[in-house]
Amino acid sequence: MPDRVGSAAYKYQHIASTGHTVLARHGFTLIHTPILEYSTVYERTLGASSDVVGKEIYKFLDSSQQWMTMRPEGTAGVARAVISNKLDERLPLKLFYSGPMFRHERPQKGRLRQFEQIGVEMFGVAHPAADVECIEVGLEFLNALPINGNFELNINTLGDAQSRLRYRDSLREYFSEHQKLLSEDSQRRLESNPLRILDSKDECDIQISHGAPSYTEYLSPQSVEHYEFVKCGLDTLGIPYIENKMLVRGLDYYQHTVWEVTCASDQLGRSQATILAGGRYDGLTSALGGTKSLPGVGWGAGIDRLALLLSDNALTFDEQPVPILIIPDRTEVGRVVSPDLYQYALQVARSVRNVCKYGSYIVHSAVADTTQPATFNHPSLNKQLSTILSKSPASRKIVFIGSSEMAAKKIVVRDTLSQKQTTIGMDSIDSHLFH
């Protein structure tokens, strides 16, 4: 559960704000759902036997004897919000979210117990054009980030519910013949969810899966038509893709198109290369107790993984607020800022903020020991300058004030690029000085 400080905080803000901008351009609107939900929201959608519910969720019994779960993913909460707020009365819906998720798993590079995710959910559109649109907006979001590495889009189809049932029965029969060679997890999944075996990272499971029946043999004509439209739509938009028959989703409500975007980068490692994953989940609202079985499609992307792919040099920053540096008076007891000078600094900071859209703030004396008065040993002007200029990004303009400036009701403005200084009166402060 990380702290984000300095460039890490800027990276998170940059990724989230870029996503918000791109998604809004495609007609998606922001939704916020609670971090805490009743546990049944996830048990109904993820399945009580799934790894997420069985091993990874943070779940507790609250004081009213209700089981609560900290949000492990975004889709179920958004679907629940659609039902609770009767948003299904104004379909179609195009929603997006971003925020923290929680899973109790072994922390590793790009995979944390508290992780940030951004995602989209579209409800009420059954046409495969919605699948194409979601893939397109996801790639547009990724391409808007200065990411180091090459993207690769993998797609597959799971067919409709009937196709999925036929294929699952065929997989169960095939893997039963190799049961003794399967990993412990895959043996457990054999009866409950054999599709998940195709997604196993165990080397022996992978070898056995290569001989598994192909999904295409069990697709209904309607499923083939849906998938062909998606591929044609991607071709029309000039979006390259790879058909990956091993790409599956273990949850029953996933149907038709599924996809993942991977990025080949040493920053992620081979096993953590997926940076965005999505799919169609028709009928999810029914699993949550809704009266309507809404078609749905969407994706989620891990902000923490994306941040690993951003270099500090690739980030651009807004102009920084103007720091007000107080020049202390030297006395026998140290460098002192008088009460009157501090009052003057407050006035100057407000006057600059009134004309400068980037804002302004006073650079205070840092006190690490409360036994020392705050006005004693105020840092020298050179030390304050060194601290301000070492920040990344640094402020373009800096204001100095001391006792002499206070007496004359003036301020000194320095441009950190040209190194030019200008002395002006308080009544002459205007926005032109701080462009």
Side-chain angles (χ1 to χ4, degrees):
M1 298 184 183
D3 296 313
R4 293 184 182 86
V5 182
S7 63
Y10 278 111
K11 285 181 180 181
Y12 171 79
Q13 182 181 22
H14 176 74
I15 294 168
S17 63
T18 299
H20 289 203
T21 299
V22 171
L23 298 174
R25 291 180 65 246
H26 283 257
F28 289 86
T29 57
L30 182 63
I31 184 171
H32 291 287
T33 60
I35 288 176
L36 280 179
E37 294 268 11
Y38 291 116
S39 296
T40 52
V41 169
Y42 302 108
E43 290 168 357
R44 287 178 178 178
T45 57
L46 299 176
S49 62
S50 70
D51 285 348
V52 175
V53 172
K55 298 179 180 179
E56 299 173 2
I57 65 170
Y58 284 95
K59 178 179 177 181
F60 62 91
L61 196 63
D62 70 6
S63 58
S64 60
Q65 300 303 300
Q66 293 277 2
W67 283 104
M68 307 298 295
T69 293
M70 296 180 73
R71 183 173 60 191
E73 55 90 26
T75 302
V78 174
R80 192 272 313 147
V82 168
I83 298 169
S84 299
N85 295 280
K86 298 182 179 180
L87 300 181
D88 53 358
E89 296 177 358
R90 37 194 169 111
L91 299 173
L93 293 170
K94 298 176 71 175
L95 307 170
F96 75 92
Y97 63 87
S98 64
M101 314 288 164
F102 303 84
R103 291 192 184 183
H104 190 277
E105 56 186 346
R106 183 170 61 87
Q108 51 189 298
K109 197 171 187 179
R111 187 183 290 272
L112 305 167
R113 289 181 174 177
Q114 176 178 325
F115 58 98
E116 303 287 337
Q117 193 172 72
I118 184 169
V120 305
E121 316 293 352
M122 188 185 302
F123 292 96
V125 183
H127 197 282
D131 306 19
V132 179
E133 183 179 357
C134 281
I135 294 173
E136 180 191 20
V137 71
L139 291 172
E140 185 176 325
F141 160 57
L142 295 176
N143 284 314
L145 301 171
I147 284 180
N148 296 320
N150 298 317
F151 300 141
E152 183 177 275
L153 171 64
N154 287 257
I155 67 170
N156 193 20
T157 179
L158 302 180
D160 53 24
Q162 291 72 29
S163 303
R164 185 186 181 94
L165 286 173
R166 288 195 297 270
Y167 184 55
R168 189 164 60 181
D169 290 342
S170 176
L171 281 181
R172 185 177 291 115
E173 182 179 348
Y174 169 77
F175 283 123
S176 293
E177 297 173 1
H178 306 275
Q179 183 171 358
K180 292 182 179 180
L181 299 175
L182 294 173
S183 67
E184 184 178 340
D185 278 345
S186 291
Q187 289 187 38
R188 179 173 52 83
R189 292 166 177 162
L190 184 57
E191 287 302 320
S192 63
N193 205 338
L195 269 76
R196 289 295 307 278
I197 300 176
L198 297 176
D199 199 33
S200 172
K201 301 300 186 290
D202 181 87
E203 287 297 330
C204 188
D205 290 347
I206 292 172
Q207 292 300 319
I208 295 172
S209 295
H210 284 321
S214 171
Y215 215 140
T216 54
E217 301 172 23
Y218 300 88
L219 293 176
S220 67
Q222 295 83 0
S223 298
V224 172
E225 183 180 356
H226 188 110
Y227 189 45
E228 289 301 318
F229 184 97
V230 171
K231 292 190 289 183
C232 183
L234 295 175
D235 292 336
T236 299
L237 295 175
I239 297 175
Y241 59 87
I242 295 172
E243 290 189 74
N244 181 355
K245 300 304 179 183
M246 306 303 290
L247 180 58
V248 298
R249 295 286 185 270
L251 303 175
D252 287 342
Y253 56 77
Y254 274 104
Q255 298 179 22
H256 294 299
T257 319
V258 291
W259 68 91
E260 287 183 353
V261 180
T262 59
C263 182
S265 171
D266 293 337
Q267 296 298 320
L268 293 177
R270 184 177 179 182
S271 64
Q272 302 297 330
T274 301
I275 55 175
L276 183 150
R280 176 166 282 279
Y281 44 82
D282 296 347
L284 173 61
T285 51
S286 293
L288 284 167
T291 58
K292 300 175 183 176
S293 180
L294 299 179
V297 61
W299 54 257
I303 294 178
D304 302 282
R305 293 191 194 182
L306 294 175
L308 292 174
L309 300 173
L310 293 182
S311 67
D312 293 347
N313 296 332
L315 295 178
T316 57
F317 300 98
D318 293 333
E319 190 70 42
Q320 298 301 295
V322 177
I324 310 298
L325 276 58
I326 305 174
I327 304 171
D329 296 319
R330 297 193 67 87
T331 69
E332 294 179 356
V333 296
R335 292 182 297 273
V336 175
V337 175
S338 69
D340 288 343
L341 184 53
Y342 244 122
Q343 295 287 353
Y344 186 63
L346 292 169
Q347 294 176 18
V348 171
R350 171 177 283 188
S351 296
V352 173
R353 275 196 300 273
N354 287 341
V355 299
C356 178
K357 65 179 181 179
Y358 306 115
S360 176
Y361 66 98
I362 296 172
V363 178
H364 295 285
S365 172
V367 176
D369 185 352
T370 57
T371 64
Q372 297 296 317
T375 52
F376 287 1
N377 293 320
H378 193 89
S380 66
L381 179 60
N382 286 339
K383 186 173 183 179
Q384 293 180 69
L385 272 174
S386 176
T387 300
I388 291 298
L389 296 177
S390 67
K391 290 184 177 181
S392 179
S395 302
R396 171 70 186 275
K397 298 292 178 70
I398 298 175
V399 169
F400 308 132
I401 56 170
S403 295
S404 58
E405 285 77 21
M406 177 179 63
K409 296 190 181 302
K410 295 181 181 295
I411 66 171
V412 178
V413 182
R414 175 185 289 189
D415 188 307
T416 59
L417 295 182
S418 66
Q419 296 299 308
K420 291 183 178 179
Q421 291 190 180
T422 305
T423 301
I424 61 168
M426 279 283 285
D427 56 356
S428 299
I429 294 176
D430 60 37
S431 59
H432 299 291
L433 282 169
F434 300 101
H435 281 328

